[in-house]
Amino acid sequence: MKAFVTEVFEQQKKAMTAFPDNVLAKEFIDKFFDFLFIPHPQRKQTVADLEKEFESLKSYLSTLIYDVVGDSVQTQKMADGFFESTPGIYKKLLQDAEAILSFDPAAKSIEEVLVAYPGFYATAIYRFSHELHTLGVKILPRFFSEYAHSKTGIDIHPGATIGHSFIIDHGTGIVIGETTVIGNRVKIYQGVTLGGLSVSKDKAQVKRHPSIEDNVTIYSGATILGGDTVIGHDSVIGGNVWLTNSVLPFSIVYHKSEVIIKDKNPLPEALNFVI
């Protein structure tokens, strides 16, 4: 038993030198999202208050990056790069929110989308994580994306590339793989998988996930697989469709099933069930 405990201890030591602080990571991403989108009148009364909070967030992120980089110069460069990109990320997220508002009849205001839509939250955390991934920060972007996954049921790898005005409706069960490329004004419903066909580990650097061009709608339960699979622009992919081949622009792809409804009073024929 002592040998086992020693093994656990050694493994935890490795983890402590490779992983950022989990609690601090969750605190940062929540605070950063709140800073950008959630008003707190009692706490954020002036521009100076926001500036002070923004500086505090910079310190938060620098600590997290240093945990995985271990180099102060590189940490500063990465942290500066992230916050220099923040205005562009913010603008893109507002475009996402506006797209949701214009598309979803249930959305009554932009504020409702920002505060109450899990699809927007997952997209926001993806955009933060993707920027860190692009800057070469290891592990931390995955911490953020998995935190969003745990809160929303939406799993977007930080390595995926997603254009502007992205809409996730409902969202639960969506999976978007690492090398997925998604264009502009794409709408995705719950239960959609943009995944890879079974490949060996030595092809980890190869494009394994599909490309979705502009103005595509993918309905619930659809599964699209493979790095060579391209969904042409302005196409509609119906619910429960399984695709491993490319689709031309302006296509409509649907899964054909048969649903029979019978009036049970009176029964047109005897129904016998064996369980």
Side-chain angles (χ1 to χ4, degrees):
M1 186 59 70
K2 183 176 180 180
F4 169 68
V5 173
T6 301
E7 182 181 355
V8 171
F9 175 75
E10 293 299 327
Q11 181 60 39
Q12 288 184 354
K13 279 205 309 183
K14 292 180 184 178
M16 287 179 65
T17 60
F19 296 158
D21 185 299
N22 189 36
V23 174
L24 190 64
K26 292 176 181 179
E27 286 181 355
F28 169 78
I29 208 65
D30 282 336
K31 287 179 180 293
F32 191 58
F33 184 87
D34 284 2
F35 170 81
L36 293 177
F37 301 114
I38 312 297
H40 297 278
Q42 294 180 348
R43 185 162 54 88
K44 301 178 182 177
Q45 296 180 344
T46 67
V47 172
D49 292 332
L50 285 173
E51 288 177 340
K52 184 177 179 180
E53 186 170 353
F54 194 53
E55 290 302 316
S56 175
L57 288 167
K58 288 183 179 180
S59 177
Y60 251 96
L61 184 61
S62 294
T63 299
L64 289 166
I65 293 175
Y66 185 81
D67 283 347
V68 296
V69 172
D71 178 272
S72 57
V73 174
Q74 191 72 0
T75 293
Q76 192 62 50
K77 181 180 178 180
M78 289 174 166
D80 288 346
F82 178 82
F83 284 104
E84 286 169 5
S85 70
T86 297
I89 296 172
Y90 181 69
K91 180 179 180 181
K92 190 171 285 189
L93 285 169
L94 290 180
Q95 288 179 316
D96 295 329
E98 289 286 357
I100 293 170
L101 178 62
S102 64
F103 164 76
D104 187 353
K108 300 300 187 284
S109 68
I110 194 71
E111 291 76 21
E112 181 182 359
V113 173
L114 298 176
V115 172
Y117 272 57
F120 176 76
Y121 179 84
T123 301
I125 305 310
Y126 154 76
R127 295 208 186 278
F128 305 152
S129 303
H130 178 72
E131 185 61 32
L132 290 170
H133 178 87
T134 301
L135 290 166
V137 181
K138 306 299 182 185
I139 301 175
L140 183 60
R142 290 288 283 161
F143 263 62
F144 292 157
S145 64
E146 283 306 307
Y147 182 49
H149 184 194
S150 71
K151 293 185 72 171
T152 65
I154 300 166
D155 184 2
I156 308 176
H157 194 287
T161 301
I162 300 177
H164 67 73
S165 304
F166 182 52
I167 297 173
I168 290 177
D169 197 8
H170 301 292
T172 304
I174 285 176
V175 177
I176 300 175
E178 179 183 15
T179 60
T180 302
V181 177
I182 297 175
N184 302 319
R185 299 174 299 279
V186 170
K187 298 187 285 290
I188 297 180
Y189 286 77
Q190 67 273 16
V192 167
T193 296
L194 304 179
L197 292 166
S198 180
V199 294
S200 59
K201 186 69 174 180
D202 60 2
K203 294 183 179 179
Q205 303 305 314
V206 175
K207 189 177 188 306
R208 309 180 306 281
H209 305 91
S211 295
I212 313 298
E213 294 184 349
D214 297 347
N215 304 312
V216 170
T217 298
I218 307 175
Y219 284 100
S220 59
T223 298
I224 304 173
L225 305 177
D228 295 328
T229 303
V230 178
I231 305 303
H233 63 82
D234 296 278
S235 292
V236 176
I237 309 302
N240 301 316
V241 163
W242 175 282
L243 273 178
T244 57
N245 296 307
S246 295
V247 169
L248 293 173
F250 297 101
S251 296
I252 298 177
V253 183
Y254 62 93
H255 171 75
K256 185 177 181 180
S257 61
E258 185 178 16
V259 178
I260 300 174
I261 301 174
K262 295 182 178 180
D263 186 350
K264 67 177 182 180
N265 187 23
L267 290 175
E269 61 185 43
L271 298 178
N272 296 312
F273 295 92
V274 178
I275 299 176

